[in-house]
Amino acid sequence: VEKNPSTHPSIHPSIHLSIHPSTEPLSDAEREIIQDTWGQVYKNCEDVGVSVLIRFFVSFPSAKQYFSQFQDMEDPAEMEKSSQLRHHARRVMNAINTVVENLHDPEKVSSVLALVGKAHAIKHKVEPMYFKILSGVMLEVFNEDFPEFFPAEVQVIWTKLMSAVYWHVTGAYTEVGWLQVSSSAV
C-alpha cells in the first residue's frame, strides 16, 4: 500500500509527531511519561538493546540477512558476543534516545527518522516491515525487563510513539521511491 506523500508528516516538518495526520500528537504529559520511562531503560542502554536485537533475530531470523557478521548465527549466546550486534544495538538505542530527547522538537525528530529511513532504504535495502516488527519487540522487552515502569497505560503511550516512529521512517522510504511500504506489515 503506497502512502500519499502529500499527507505524510515527514513532508511537513512542522506537524507534530503523529502516527497519521488524523491522529492526535503526543501530549505534554505523554512526552513526559515517555522521557521518564526511557530514563530507566536507557540506564542499561547496551544490555537492553542487545536483548531487543537477540529476541528480534531469534523470532524473525530473516532479518539477519542484512548483517554479514552474524547472519549465520543461531545461538543467542553467540549473538550476544557479536561486536557487530552490540554496535548495532547501541545505534538503535541511541536513535530512540535522540527521538525521546527531542520530542519537544518535531522537526528534529522528523529529520533524524528520515535519515534512519533513507539509510535503511537506500544503503542497506532493509524491508520497511522490519521497523514495525522491531518496534513491537522493543515494547515487549521494555515491558518484561521494566514492568514497574511499563503498566498498561504507559504501554499505550509507548505504542503511540513507536507507531509514529514507524510512520516517519516509512515516509522516508516512500520519499526515495520505495514502493513496498505496507501499513499492514506484521
Side-chain angles (χ1 to χ4, degrees), residues 35-50:
Q35 288 168 333
D36 288 348
T37 53
W38 178 250
Q40 299 304 316
V41 172
Y42 199 64
K43 286 178 186 175
N44 304 296
C45 167
E46 187 172 328
D47 290 340
V48 174
V50 168

Side-chain angles (χ1 to χ4, degrees), residues 128-175:
M129 70 173 181
Y130 288 114
F131 283 96
K132 192 168 206 170
I133 296 167
L134 182 61
S135 295
V137 171
M138 288 179 97
L139 295 176
E140 283 177 12
V141 170
F142 295 172
N143 182 39
E144 290 171 17
D145 289 1
F146 305 92
E148 66 278 20
F149 299 109
F150 285 86
E153 61 274 11
V154 171
Q155 292 176 44
V156 168
I157 296 166
W158 270 91
T159 298
K160 187 174 176 182
L161 174 65
M162 290 304 203
S163 294
V165 166
Y166 176 72
W167 175 260
H168 282 270
V169 167
T170 56
Y173 273 74
T174 304
E175 284 178 37

Side-chain angles (χ1 to χ4, degrees), residues 38-162:
W38 178 250
Q40 299 304 316
V41 172
Y42 199 64
K43 286 178 186 175
N44 304 296
C45 167
E46 187 172 328
D47 290 340
V48 174
V50 168
S51 293
V52 166
L53 288 186
I54 288 173
R55 175 162 317 171
F56 177 57
F57 293 131
V58 167
S59 301
F60 303 94
S62 62
K64 291 187 295 183
Q65 68 185 302
Y66 304 106
F67 297 90
S68 60
Q69 292 178 9
F70 60 85
Q71 65 185 2
D72 297 324
M73 291 181 191
E74 293 186 21
D75 178 23
E78 188 181 2
M79 284 184 215
E80 192 172 357
K81 294 175 189 165
S82 165
S83 61
Q84 187 189 27
L85 186 139
R86 289 191 153 300
H87 178 73
H88 198 67
R90 281 192 302 274
R91 289 182 63 115
V92 169
M93 296 298 280
N94 287 334
I96 297 296
N97 189 57
T98 300
V99 168
V100 170
E101 284 183 346
N102 290 285
L103 286 175
H104 63 282
D105 184 352
E107 288 186 34
K108 170 83 173 177
V109 169
S110 206
S111 169
V112 166
L113 295 176
L115 289 172
V116 168
K118 287 175 183 171
H120 284 79
I122 296 168
K123 183 179 178 187
H124 307 298
K125 304 201 181 336
V126 173
E127 290 286 337
M129 70 173 181
Y130 288 114
F131 283 96
K132 192 168 206 170
I133 296 167
L134 182 61
S135 295
V137 171
M138 288 179 97
L139 295 176
E140 283 177 12
V141 170
F142 295 172
N143 182 39
E144 290 171 17
D145 289 1
F146 305 92
E148 66 278 20
F149 299 109
F150 285 86
E153 61 274 11
V154 171
Q155 292 176 44
V156 168
I157 296 166
W158 270 91
T159 298
K160 187 174 176 182
L161 174 65
M162 290 304 203

Side-chain angles (χ1 to χ4, degrees), residues 174-185:
T174 304
E175 284 178 37
V176 300
W178 189 287
L179 300 176
Q180 296 142 336
V181 174
S182 171
S183 59
S184 61

